[in-house]
Amino acid sequence: MNDTAIKNFCTWARNTLIEQVETRMRRFSVVEANALPEDATSVDGMPLSPDEQRQRSELLRLQREVGHAALAERAAYTWFNRLVAIRFMELRDYLPCRVRMLSADDGSFAPQVLKCALDVQIEGLDASRVMELMQTGDDEALFRCLFLAQCDELSSCIPGVFDRVGSAMELLLPDGLLRQDSVIDRLVTSIPEEDWERVEILGWMYQYYNAEVKDAFFKSKAKETPDTIGPATQLFTPEWIVRYMVENSLGRLWMLNFPESALCQKWDYYIAPDAEHEDFIRIDGPEDITLCDPACGSGHILVYAFQLLFDMYVERGYREREIPQLILEKNLSGMEIDPRAAQIANLALAMCAREHDRRFFGRGVQADVLVVAPTKFQRDEAGCVIELPEDAAIMADQQFIDALEHLDEVGSLLNPTEAQLEALRADAARFAAEVESDSLFGRGLGVKLQDALRVCEALARKFDCVVANPPYMGSSSFSPFMSKWIKKNYPDVKSDLFSSFIVRIMDYASEHGEAGIMCPFVWMFIGSYEKLREKMINEKTITSLVQLEYSGFAGATVPICTFTFHNGYVDGYKGGYVRLSDFVGAAVQAPKTREAIANPDCGYFYRRNAKTFTQIPGTPIAYWASDALLNAFEGGKKLSDIGKPRQGLATGENARFVREWWEVGLDREKFDCKSIKESLEWIACRMLV
C-alpha cells in the first residue's frame, strides 16, 4: 500500500473540502454573523426552494449548537467519508447499481454512471430529472443528481454512513465535483486501485485525514476537549499486532474449547498455552462467543475478528451466506466516542459482510458499533440540573449525571453500577410514560433518558473476549473535568488513559474471559504503575506478551508492547514472552515475532510464570530475568542491609569550581610531565611564583 500517496491525498482533501464547504455555506448565508432570518426565502436574490429553506434552517440550528468551524469540519468529513466509501464499493462491484460512480472501467476519472444515466438502476432516482439534465448538457448537475441518489439508496444499506436524501448536509455538497484536480479526480487518480483491495485502507484514510489536527493538538500542549480527544488519540493498529491480539484471545478461546481444530495452523502469531488447564469459558460453537473492542476507532480489530469468526463458522459447517449476519448480530461489538471513526468501523464491517453475502445490503443488518454520546441536561448558572425534577431517581447521584454529560470524553471508561442503571431505568420509564400524555417536561427529556439508558446498558455488558488498542494521553492533557474524574474512578492508574483502560477492560471481560491489549510498555516497569502490575499478576494471568523495540512502532515514537491475559488467576501458568529490544525498526518487528513463536529456542522467546516477578522489588515484568537473578533478589542480602549508598566527593557546584582545559591559561599548563610526582612538583613551583 502506498502510504505516502494516501496520506498526501487525505491531508489535501481535508483542507480542500473544508474550503469548498465554507463556500457553499456563504452561498446559502450560513455564516457566523448571519444577517438573514432563518426563514428567508432567498439569498442575495437567489430564490430558495422549500427543501433548501428547510435544509438551511437545519444548518443554522446545527451552527448554533456546535459552532461554525465545527459544522464546516463535520460537513467536510461527511462528504469525504461518503466519497471514500463509494470508491471502495465501486472497485469491489458492491454498489447496488453495479455501475462505477466515480471512475471509468479503465480506471480513469470519467464516471461511468454519466454514460448510462438513463439506464442505471438506482432506487428513488427521478428519471424525468435525469432526462431533463441530459438534455441541457449540464454534466455537473447530472452527476450531482446521480451521486445524491446513490447516497440515498445506500442509506438503507449502511445508515450509519449515509443519510436519506434531503438531509441538511446535502446543501453543503461541494460544487465542481467533475473538475480537473477536484477531490474526486485526485481520489481516483492518485491512489492506485490495487491499494483498495483490503478494507483496512478505510481506517488508514481516516487516521491520515486527522493527522494535521492531531499534530496541532499536541504541538499546542492544550487540554483535551470533546472535539479533540477523539482525533488526538486515534492510532491505527499495525496489522500484525491486531492478528497477534485476536489470535491469542479469540483464537485462544476457540482452541481451548476445540483443541482438535486446525484453524490455529493459519495463525502466524498464535502462542499455544504452556499446558492444559480447566479455567476457561465453555462454548458449544461460534454463536456463543462475544467479543468487544471498547475503543474501536475505525474497526481494524473488529475486521480481523470477523475473519477469524468466519473461519470458525465455516469449520462448524455453517453456510457461507448465513455467516455475516450471525457474526454482526451475535459476536461483535464496538464502542467509540468519535462518531466519524464509528462510521468507518460500521462501513468496514459492512464491507466484510458484503464480501461473503452479495445480498447483505438488503438484509437490514447493522454492525453493533456504539457511539458513546453524552446526555446533556439543562443547568442554571449555579450548575444545578433544572430539566430533571428534584425527585428524579438519578438526582441522588450528581457524579453519575456529570459523567453522562461528559461521555464524549469519558467514553467507555464509564462503568455504571447496578444501582445507577436501576435509577436510570426508573426515570426513563417514568418520563417515557409522561411523554405520551404531553407532560410538563416534554418529549426531549424522555428521549434523553432513553438514549442514556441505551448507552449505559451497553457499557455494563460483559464479553468473552475484549481486544483493544486504547487511547494514549497523559494526564497533563486532561481537561479539568477529565482529570478530576479519572483520579476519582481510576486512582491507581490516573496518569494516563491507556492504563485506565487496562483496568476497565478487566471489568468488560467475563470471569475467565480472554483479553488482548496494545499499549506503551511503561506500565511494565515504572513505579507509578506498580499497583496495576500487582493486580495483573495476583488476580489475572498474563498468557503472552511481545515487547517491541523502542522505535519499533511506525507512526509514533512510543515504546510499545502488546499482551494478552486471562481474566482470572491460573496458578503456575507460564506465559510466552517475546523480547524484540535488539531488533531496530518497525519493519522487522513482525517477522522476528513470527520467528520467535515458530522457534522458541531462538534466544529471545521466554516462558515465565508471572508470579516470579514479585520476587523483585517493585514487581517489574522482568520476564527475561534468569532464575539465578530472581533467586538473588529473593535470597540474597540487600545492599541497604549493609550500608547506605552516598554520593562521595563532589564540588557541589561544578560550574564554579571545575574548569575545562581550554579555560586555563597556557602559562598555567604543562603537557610533558613524565610522572605524577613531576606534575605535583611543577604545580608546587607554580604556586610559589
Side-chain angles (χ1 to χ4, degrees):
M1 188 169 67
N2 190 337
D3 292 353
T4 300
I6 295 171
K7 183 175 183 178
N8 289 342
F9 166 76
C10 293
T11 302
W12 172 85
R14 176 180 175 271
N15 294 320
T16 301
L17 284 170
I18 290 174
E19 180 181 332
Q20 293 176 343
V21 162
E22 288 182 332
T23 298
R24 292 282 294 186
M25 293 172 80
R26 289 191 296 271
R27 177 178 174 183
F28 290 96
S29 192
V30 182
V31 293
E32 292 185 84
N34 196 50
L36 289 178
E38 190 169 314
D39 59 353
T41 59
S42 65
V43 176
D44 293 335
M46 177 185 70
L48 301 177
S49 69
D51 281 343
E52 289 173 337
Q53 293 177 45
R54 175 183 54 78
Q55 291 167 342
R56 178 176 179 272
S57 178
E58 175 64 12
L59 289 173
L60 289 170
R61 184 193 67 78
L62 286 171
Q63 183 189 51
R64 291 192 299 270
E65 181 180 313
V66 304
H68 181 83
L71 175 58
E73 175 73 60
R74 180 184 296 186
Y77 182 73
T78 294
W79 293 115
F80 174 84
N81 197 10
R82 293 174 188 177
L83 287 168
V84 167
I86 287 175
R87 178 62 173 159
F88 183 87
M89 284 189 276
E90 75 170 11
L91 292 176
R92 304 296 292 269
D93 197 23
Y94 287 173
L95 291 175
C97 66
R98 311 300 293 273
V99 174
R100 287 198 178 198
M101 185 63 52
L102 307 180
S103 64
D105 282 335
D106 63 3
S108 63
F109 173 47
Q112 183 185 19
V113 71
L114 288 175
K115 296 181 179 180
C116 54
L118 285 176
D119 301 319
V120 68
Q121 300 295 313
I122 300 178
E123 184 179 331
L125 180 63
D126 186 344
S128 61
R129 177 62 175 160
V130 170
M131 177 66 75
E132 177 186 338
L133 292 172
M134 290 187 69
Q135 290 174 345
T136 63
D138 189 345
D139 281 353
E140 282 284 354
L142 177 59
F143 178 78
R144 192 181 191 90
C145 174
L146 294 166
F147 179 77
L148 288 173
Q150 183 62 88
C151 290
D152 186 42
E153 182 178 28
L154 290 170
S155 69
S156 62
C157 309
I158 320 173
V161 180
F162 295 90
D163 290 335
R164 300 296 301 183
V165 73
S167 70
M169 287 299 172
E170 180 182 329
L171 205 63
L172 301 184
L173 175 63
D175 296 315
L177 296 174
L178 295 182
R179 294 173 189 162
Q180 187 177 5
D181 206 38
S182 69
V183 171
I184 297 180
D185 182 8
R186 287 207 186 185
L187 177 64
V188 169
T189 59
S190 67
I191 303 176
E193 289 194 9
E194 55 267 25
D195 285 353
W196 295 88
E197 292 178 357
R198 299 179 58 188
V199 74
E200 287 82 2
I201 189 176
L202 301 174
W204 279 114
M205 295 188 81
Y206 173 73
Q207 178 165 312
Y208 288 142
Y209 184 91
N210 287 316
E212 286 187 339
V213 177
K214 181 175 183 175
D215 292 344
F217 170 79
F218 285 109
K219 186 177 180 179
S220 71
K221 300 188 182 301
K223 303 296 184 183
E224 55 83 11
T225 67
D227 292 330
T228 59
I229 189 171
T233 55
Q234 288 289 336
L235 195 62
F236 201 69
T237 316
E239 180 192 10
W240 76 270
I241 294 181
V242 171
R243 293 182 60 187
Y244 159 80
M245 291 191 294
V246 176
E247 289 170 8
N248 289 285
S249 54
L250 172 62
R252 171 185 165 84
L253 178 62
W254 183 258
M255 295 308 301
L256 287 172
N257 278 273
F258 304 104
E260 74 284 357
S261 172
L263 292 182
C264 65
Q265 297 174 14
K266 300 193 298 182
W267 302 339
D268 292 337
Y269 300 94
Y270 178 65
I271 299 176
D274 73 315
E276 294 183 7
H277 62 87
E278 300 297 322
D279 298 320
F280 58 88
I281 294 172
R282 308 290 174 164
I283 58 173
D284 294 325
E287 292 186 51
D288 296 340
I289 303 172
T290 57
L291 181 145
C292 176
D293 181 349
C296 70
S298 52
H300 196 180
I301 290 170
L302 296 176
V303 164
Y304 188 61
F306 184 103
Q307 296 174 21
L308 255 66
L309 284 161
F310 186 89
D311 290 342
M312 294 171 185
Y313 277 100
V314 170
E315 186 177 67
R316 304 298 285 184
Y318 288 74
R319 291 191 297 177
E320 180 173 344
R321 70 174 181 270
E322 298 175 342
I323 297 173
Q325 181 170 347
L326 289 170
I327 292 175
L328 297 187
E329 290 182 341
K330 292 181 176 292
N331 301 124
L332 296 181
S333 297
M335 302 171 188
E336 177 56 46
I337 60 173
D338 185 347
R340 299 176 301 178
Q343 283 184 354
I344 294 293
N346 266 305
L347 176 63
L349 288 172
M351 296 304 99
C352 291
R354 173 60 180 80
E355 180 181 355
H356 299 287
D357 178 9
R358 64 186 181 88
R359 295 181 178 171
F360 174 78
F361 287 162
R363 301 193 189 280
V365 178
Q366 303 302 320
D368 179 18
V369 178
L370 173 72
V371 177
V372 187
T375 299
K376 301 285 187 181
F377 297 105
Q378 297 175 5
R379 293 168 176 265
D380 63 15
E381 292 182 358
C384 300
V385 176
I386 60 174
E387 187 172 341
L388 283 167
E390 292 184 0
D391 61 344
I394 64 172
M395 282 293 288
D397 192 341
Q398 184 61 51
Q399 292 180 348
F400 182 49
I401 294 173
D402 290 341
L404 293 177
E405 292 197 326
H406 290 84
L407 275 178
D408 45 3
E409 295 177 85
V410 171
S412 52
L413 285 175
L414 179 64
N415 190 2
T417 66
E418 187 55 39
Q420 290 169 338
L421 288 171
E422 284 302 318
L424 196 52
R425 290 187 188 109
D427 285 341
R430 171 185 168 186
F431 290 105
E434 290 190 4
V435 161
E436 298 300 323
S437 61
D438 248 355
S439 75
L440 172 66
F441 303 106
R443 183 173 299 273
L445 179 56
V447 171
K448 285 182 179 182
L449 290 167
Q450 289 288 351
D451 287 344
L453 177 60
R454 176 180 58 85
V455 170
C456 287
E457 286 185 331
L459 296 177
R461 288 180 60 191
K462 299 280 188 180
F463 300 89
D464 301 327
C465 302
V466 185
V467 186
N469 176 7
Y472 314 155
M473 178 177 282
S475 57
S476 62
S477 297
F478 291 171
S479 68
F481 171 82
M482 196 66 170
S483 180
K484 182 179 179 181
W485 190 86
I486 290 286
K487 287 177 182 177
K488 179 173 179 57
N489 291 275
Y490 296 91
D492 293 338
V493 286
K494 60 182 180 292
S495 58
D496 198 289
L497 279 182
F498 87 82
S499 51
S500 300
F501 263 94
I502 293 177
V503 173
R504 181 67 179 95
I505 286 169
M506 294 175 181
D507 289 326
Y508 274 120
S510 302
E511 185 178 3
H512 295 304
E514 309 292 340
I517 297 173
M518 168 182 155
C519 67
F521 63 55
V522 291
W523 76 274
M524 299 168 59
F525 312 112
I526 294 178
S528 57
Y529 298 107
E530 184 174 350
K531 289 184 178 179
L532 172 59
R533 293 194 292 273
E534 290 175 350
K535 185 177 182 67
M536 182 68 71
I537 291 169
N538 295 326
E539 300 177 23
K540 315 299 176 183
T541 305
I542 300 175
T543 53
S544 69
L545 184 147
V546 180
Q547 182 183 344
L548 279 67
E549 187 266 331
Y550 200 90
S551 61
F553 180 71
T557 306
V558 183
I560 290 293
C561 75
T562 179
F563 67 100
T564 59
F565 69 89
H566 177 83
N567 202 37
Y569 180 71
V570 180
D571 188 35
Y573 188 89
K574 291 185 177 181
Y577 297 80
V578 178
R579 192 181 192 192
L580 302 174
S581 304
D582 294 333
F583 309 109
V584 179
V588 299
Q589 304 299 291
K592 285 298 182 180
T593 300
R594 293 195 300 270
E595 178 184 315
I597 294 171
N599 177 23
D601 296 326
C602 63
Y604 56 98
F605 181 92
Y606 305 82
R607 283 284 184 184
R608 182 65 67 185
N609 176 0
K611 201 69 175 178
T612 60
F613 305 149
T614 60
Q615 298 173 224
I616 305 175
T619 320
I621 310 298
Y623 55 87
W624 63 89
S626 65
D627 290 340
L629 178 60
L630 293 170
N631 292 335
F633 274 106
E634 189 171 49
K637 182 171 288 190
K638 297 179 181 178
L639 182 60
S640 59
D641 294 339
I642 300 173
K644 295 182 178 180
R646 296 298 187 208
Q647 180 180 3
L649 184 63
T651 68
E653 192 178 348
N654 284 356
R656 180 181 178 187
F657 295 110
V658 176
R659 294 289 175 267
E660 301 291 348
W661 66 267
W662 62 82
E663 296 180 281
V664 182
L666 286 174
D667 62 330
R668 302 178 66 83
E669 297 179 358
K670 185 172 178 61
F671 298 101
D672 56 352
C673 291
K674 300 295 191 297
S675 66
I676 293 176
K677 179 181 178 182
E678 183 177 344
S679 67
L680 291 174
E681 290 174 349
W682 182 83
I683 291 172
C685 292
R686 295 301 302 171
M687 292 178 68
L688 293 174
V689 175

